[in-house]
């Protein structure tokens, strides 16, 4: 018997001082049975840092041909492809070929540096790619605030976010690993 996804409702209040973007987002996230709470929290943080009016979640980790999040134009073209994790070079090539902008949020204090070291020499050929990372410690500090119904506030400035809930208040730094010269 297949396991069902766990549904989370997250009310995310964003004050992005860098982009002058201020909005409340009522998010519904499906956590795949194989997805960890850490990865789910990274998806929420990535959404907060990249939030736009038409940004939406893809079908999740069970669907190989879609990103974790994307923003599409009114004509259906992919404007922004956002992946969470450690995608292969082949997936990055596919994403850059299909989208005007590609962003990766890597995480995993052990795996992410190894992954990045293996692919970093190939990244300059992708002229629409940006790769960020979060430390596991800061993301794990947010996990006590994660419940089926969650209220989070994110105040973003200079690649940092102060993320607060009723239970915790954590500063999350978004480290830039690679940015194309667009």
């Amino acid at each position: 018997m297949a396991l069902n996804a766990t549904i989370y409702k997250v009310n995310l209040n964003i004050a992005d001082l860098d982009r002058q973007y201020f909005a409340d987002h009522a998010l519904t996230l499906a956590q795949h049975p194989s997805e960890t709470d850490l990865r789910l929290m990274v998806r929420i943080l990535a959404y907060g840092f990249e939030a736009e009016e038409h940004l939406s979640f893809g079908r999740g980790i069970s669907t190989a041909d879609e990103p974790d999040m994307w923003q599409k134009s009114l004509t259906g073209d992919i404007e922004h492809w956002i992946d969470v994790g450690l995608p292969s070079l082949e997936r990055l090539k596919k994403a850059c070929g299909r989208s005007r902008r590609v962003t990766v949020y890597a995480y995993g204090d052990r795996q992410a540096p190894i992954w990045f070291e293996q692919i970093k020499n190939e990244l300059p050929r992708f002229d629409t790619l940006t790769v960020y990372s979060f430390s596991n410690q800061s993301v794990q500090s947010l996990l006590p605030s994660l419940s089926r119904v969650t209220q989070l506030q994110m105040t973003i400035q200079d690649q940092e976010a102060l993320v607060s809930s009723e239970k915790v208040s954590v500063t999350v730094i978004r480290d830039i690993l690679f940015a194309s010269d667009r």
Side-chain angles (χ1 to χ4, degrees):
M1 180 166 89
L3 297 173
N4 291 331
T6 303
I7 304 300
Y8 287 83
K9 301 278 187 180
V10 178
N11 186 0
L12 183 60
N13 175 272
I14 301 167
D16 189 332
L17 304 174
D18 294 332
R19 298 185 297 144
Q20 297 300 302
Y21 181 83
F22 306 93
D24 286 316
H25 291 269
L27 308 176
T28 301
L29 293 100
Q31 182 183 29
H32 189 273
S34 67
E35 183 178 30
T36 65
D37 288 348
L38 184 72
R39 186 178 192 284
L40 180 67
M41 186 57 74
V42 171
R43 282 200 296 147
I44 294 168
L45 291 171
Y47 187 96
F49 273 104
E50 302 297 334
E52 296 286 342
E53 184 180 351
H54 299 290
L55 183 64
S56 62
F57 289 99
R59 287 185 278 178
I61 58 178
S62 61
T63 307
D65 63 337
E66 286 187 12
D68 289 295
M69 286 165 266
W70 52 11
Q71 181 180 353
K72 291 184 175 183
S73 70
L74 295 176
T75 61
D77 294 334
I78 302 171
E79 298 284 333
H80 193 181
W81 175 295
I82 302 168
D83 265 343
V84 171
L86 311 173
S88 67
L89 278 173
E90 196 155 310
R91 182 168 175 85
L92 291 175
K93 179 180 178 183
K94 175 183 174 181
C96 290
R98 292 182 61 194
S99 178
R100 291 193 177 117
R101 185 170 152 220
V102 176
T103 305
V104 173
Y105 282 87
Y107 69 98
D109 289 345
R110 290 190 186 122
Q111 304 93 331
I114 295 168
W115 166 80
F116 186 71
E117 190 63 34
Q118 290 173 345
I119 67 165
K120 72 179 181 181
N121 293 333
E122 300 294 325
L123 297 182
R125 70 182 180 169
F126 302 120
D127 62 355
T128 61
L129 177 66
T130 304
V131 180
Y132 296 106
S133 71
F134 297 125
S135 78
N136 277 10
Q137 182 180 359
S138 62
V139 177
Q140 285 176 338
S141 297
L142 288 167
L143 293 182
S145 63
L146 187 62
S147 63
R148 295 296 238 355
V149 178
T150 301
Q151 173 75 36
L152 292 173
Q153 294 80 37
M154 279 183 79
T155 303
I156 302 166
Q157 185 173 19
D158 298 330
Q159 303 299 326
E160 292 185 12
L162 176 61
V163 184
S164 302
S165 71
E166 290 181 356
K167 296 181 181 180
V168 298
S169 184
V170 177
T171 298
V172 177
I173 298 171
R174 178 171 74 164
D175 292 317
I176 300 173
L177 299 179
F178 175 82
S180 63
D181 294 332
R182 293 182 241 167

